[in-house]
Amino acid sequence: MSSRLKSATGSPPSELQPNSTPLQSPAFGSRWRGALARSRLMRALSRPWAGLATCLMYHRICPDQAGSDDMARGFAPNLDLSVTAGAFDEQMAFAARHFNCLSLPEAIEQLAAGTLPKRSLIVTFDDGYLDNLTLALPILRRHAVPATVYIATGLIEQAELPWWYELEDLIAGADGFHIHWDNQHLHFSTIDADAKRRTFDILNPMLKRMDSAEQIRFMGLLRQSSRQPVEKDNQFMNHRQLIELASDPLITIGAHTHHHLALSELKPIRLRHEITHSKELLENWLKQPIEHLAYPFGGEAHAATREFSVAEELGFSSAVTTRLGHFQVFHKNHLLALPRIGIGYQDCMARFEWKLSGLYSMVRAPTSRWTC
């Protein structure tokens, strides 16, 4: 950690170079993608990558006008965790018309049995945001589309702004930070949108590598340096609201660990506790078995063979990653390492069709057709 932090006052090292870009119009560059996704030739070419099923990953559903101010200011690193209610409604209408929409348990059972039909679609949400109940559920009901919501139980219990949103707010409102961490004095300039993006792209992976106690301490230092008031923003469901969501026949509840930590950074005992504690709390709250898991962050750096093995040992029927790809026939033997397609704020309908067609995976993750 220290070698990476030492460069925080200057240019970040190569592995931490900013990967975010200035926000673009949601329709930017999408017309040709939509045309390709609908063309007969490209559909045939991409069909092997589309596989049997597409598992969509959402986080939040927001009101239709939300995000416009963030787009205008040019710094909104978490914006793509949201999809507007209008866009989600259009996406679910398209999915209901053109795909075989299944609940996750149905899809897993059919995948394991070798009977999952092509053009199947599964909808999932991560974390447990309140808008999954208030905005997403009515739309899912309108189109009769099932969904699975993976709950990070610690976020439900805290019912406040998680660190990745607070980090964005602190950076957005400050011109810079001066903190002492790991025996070093660190300075981050956040004077303009570019500097804010660079700072977020350095601090975000740092925080992912920390345990929950370190995250709390580090965020406290940032708050103290920024001198900004701390807002308790109740973005997550409480116990009663979670029970209400779980009672709907369209909804399956899954575990998303307790503290939403990068599991690859944890020692074996802590790793098992993060998963089992989430599972046990949910089963106690909902009085039903919890058989499905989503790994926090879920990329190759955050969930791999060790984490898959623990999920199997703990008896989960399935577990999803954030690795890009579609369900293929070979995934019947890899039910604890399933890929998903993330949908975000800037995914207009043309991009949505592009992502479902298999073309997106063919271009961005060509080996996903053969490997987990």
Side-chain angles (χ1 to χ4, degrees):
M1 182 183 298
S2 300
S3 62
R4 290 172 176 152
L5 286 173
K6 287 178 182 176
S7 65
T9 56
S11 298
S14 59
E15 72 263 33
L16 292 183
Q17 286 290 348
N19 54 25
S20 59
T21 55
L23 294 171
Q24 302 164 336
S25 164
F28 180 83
S30 292
R31 290 185 179 179
W32 65 271
R33 291 188 180 94
L36 285 174
R38 289 186 291 271
S39 73
R40 184 174 301 176
L41 175 62
M42 294 307 293
R43 283 203 306 269
L45 181 62
S46 63
R47 193 170 294 130
W49 277 267
L52 300 175
T54 301
C55 186
L56 299 180
M57 176 181 64
Y58 292 91
H59 288 81
R60 309 194 62 184
I61 304 300
C62 63
D64 287 341
Q65 297 307 312
S68 56
D69 291 342
D70 294 328
M71 291 280 288
R73 78 181 181 188
F75 173 69
N78 292 307
L79 184 60
D80 232 26
L81 294 178
S82 299
V83 171
T84 66
F88 184 64
D89 188 31
E90 192 174 8
Q91 290 165 7
M92 293 301 98
F94 179 87
R97 286 196 307 270
H98 299 287
F99 286 81
N100 176 37
C101 296
L102 298 172
S103 70
L104 181 69
E106 290 175 317
I108 296 304
E109 182 180 356
Q110 293 177 24
L111 178 60
T115 59
L116 182 64
K118 291 183 179 180
R119 295 188 65 79
S120 292
L121 185 136
I122 305 100
V123 173
T124 68
F125 290 85
D126 284 7
D127 299 339
Y129 297 99
L130 177 58
D131 52 62
N132 295 178
L133 171 67
T134 59
L135 294 178
L137 182 58
I139 295 171
L140 293 168
R141 286 171 173 166
R142 184 177 306 134
H143 302 291
V145 175
T148 294
V149 181
Y150 295 106
I151 303 295
T153 46
L155 299 179
I156 296 291
E157 290 187 328
Q158 294 166 6
E160 61 186 45
L161 201 67
W163 66 259
W164 49 92
Y165 277 109
E166 185 178 4
L167 178 63
E168 177 182 346
D169 287 351
L170 289 173
I171 293 174
D175 291 333
F177 300 95
H178 301 267
I179 62 174
H180 189 75
W181 181 260
D182 198 18
N183 297 318
Q184 299 172 66
H185 185 73
L186 306 176
H187 169 68
F188 300 91
S189 172
T190 54
I191 194 66
D192 56 30
D194 287 340
K196 292 179 190 297
R197 285 194 293 271
R198 286 195 297 270
T199 299
F200 187 91
D201 286 338
I202 293 170
L203 296 184
N204 180 49
M206 279 173 50
L207 281 154
K208 285 180 181 177
R209 292 192 296 270
M210 296 178 189
D211 65 24
S212 54
E214 288 178 317
Q215 288 172 349
I216 290 170
R217 286 194 292 114
F218 192 85
M219 292 303 298
L221 292 174
L222 289 180
R223 278 187 227 110
Q224 185 178 12
S225 177
S226 72
R227 295 190 175 92
Q228 296 182 61
V230 179
E231 296 184 8
K232 298 292 184 180
D233 186 357
N234 185 11
Q235 300 185 15
F236 293 91
M237 289 178 283
N238 58 32
H239 298 107
R240 178 187 58 79
Q241 291 161 337
L242 175 59
I243 291 170
E244 179 184 351
L245 178 69
S247 69
D248 193 283
L250 287 174
I251 299 299
T252 299
I253 300 297
H256 197 33
T257 76
H258 188 63
H259 287 106
H260 200 286
L261 301 172
L263 298 180
S264 59
E265 300 293 325
L266 305 181
K267 293 181 179 180
I269 293 177
R270 183 69 186 280
L271 164 62
R272 294 179 69 91
H273 180 264
E274 275 294 313
I275 299 175
T276 56
H277 191 46
S278 175
K279 185 178 191 294
E280 289 167 356
L281 281 176
L282 289 170
E283 289 178 341
N284 182 54
W285 295 343
L286 303 177
K287 311 303 179 188
Q288 64 183 41
I290 300 298
E291 300 177 345
H292 306 280
L293 173 70
Y295 306 104
F297 306 113
E300 291 185 36
H302 310 117
T305 303
R306 184 187 69 149
E307 290 70 39
F308 303 157
S309 296
V310 170
E312 183 177 18
E313 291 169 11
L314 295 177
F316 285 95
S317 300
S318 77
V320 293
T321 69
T322 62
R323 300 185 188 193
L324 179 60
H326 304 254
F327 290 7
Q328 304 287 346
V329 172
F330 69 80
H331 280 114
K332 67 180 295 183
N333 298 317
H334 300 278
L335 297 176
L336 286 309
L338 296 171
R340 289 189 289 177
I341 302 290
I343 305 297
Y345 186 88
Q346 300 192 76
D347 287 327
C348 63
M349 278 307 298
R351 280 180 57 86
F352 184 74
E353 292 182 42
W354 166 262
K355 286 187 169 184
L356 267 63
S357 70
L359 286 167
Y360 181 69
S361 297
M362 184 179 74
V363 172
R364 296 290 300 275
T367 63
S368 65
R369 175 182 169 185
W370 302 284
T371 62
C372 293

